[in-house]
Amino acid sequence: MAPDDWAGLTEAAVAAMRRAYAPYSHYPVGAAARVDDGRVVVGCNVENAAYGVTLCAECGLVSSLIEGGGGRLTHFVCVNGAQELIMPCGRCRQLLVEHGGRELSLMTPHGVRSMDQVLPDAFGPDDLGVR
């Protein structure tokens, strides 16, 4: 899969979405991202009866990234149960900055955007002298 193969990443996000655990909201979400070493990592949302401990799809994706050896995210896609492109929530945008940086490319409902456009002036590892 080429680094800019958005269709392939979207297919991976849809497959992840189909494994989501969303019995409360009935809003399954899947996410997929390319890593700088060529891997594709995915995640799906996992709800909980105690709503505050629900995990977004991006949380699972980042866990998969770290468990698989780490690296930097380069391209990211997120979809809902209708297979529509959706935007990461604020918390997840912060996760993506941490693991993809300001140059991470996201496919959005309005086209490809950089993380810097999606979360301008983000606070991240660079601000703490890490990386």
Side-chain angles (χ1 to χ4, degrees):
M1 183 184 312
D4 60 351
D5 180 8
W6 292 109
L9 279 182
T10 302
E11 288 175 22
V14 168
M17 175 274 298
R18 291 188 175 129
R19 295 185 295 272
Y21 178 74
Y24 306 106
S25 71
H26 306 286
Y27 192 80
V29 175
R34 175 163 304 287
V35 183
D36 58 1
D37 65 6
R39 285 179 293 141
V40 172
V41 291
V42 299
C44 62
N45 60 322
V46 178
E47 294 182 347
N48 190 286
Y51 296 139
V53 294
T54 290
L55 299 174
C56 296
E58 295 86 343
C59 295
L61 183 145
V62 168
S63 290
S64 180
L65 170 72
I66 299 303
E67 186 279 329
R72 297 292 281 168
L73 302 174
T74 61
H75 297 78
F76 173 86
V77 173
C78 194
V79 299
N80 65 17
Q83 302 181 24
E84 300 165 328
L85 292 171
I86 59 173
M87 293 297 293
C89 70
R91 172 183 144 189
C92 291
R93 292 177 193 200
Q94 187 64 40
L95 282 172
L96 294 172
V97 163
E98 182 81 13
H99 297 283
R102 293 172 173 90
E103 60 280 352
L104 171 63
S105 294
L106 291 83
M107 178 55 74
T108 77
H110 302 288
V112 177
R113 303 272 169 90
S114 70
M115 197 66 232
D116 197 39
Q117 292 171 304
V118 172
L119 187 63
D121 303 319
F123 182 84
D126 295 338
D127 296 302
L128 297 174
V130 178
R131 293 220 204 280

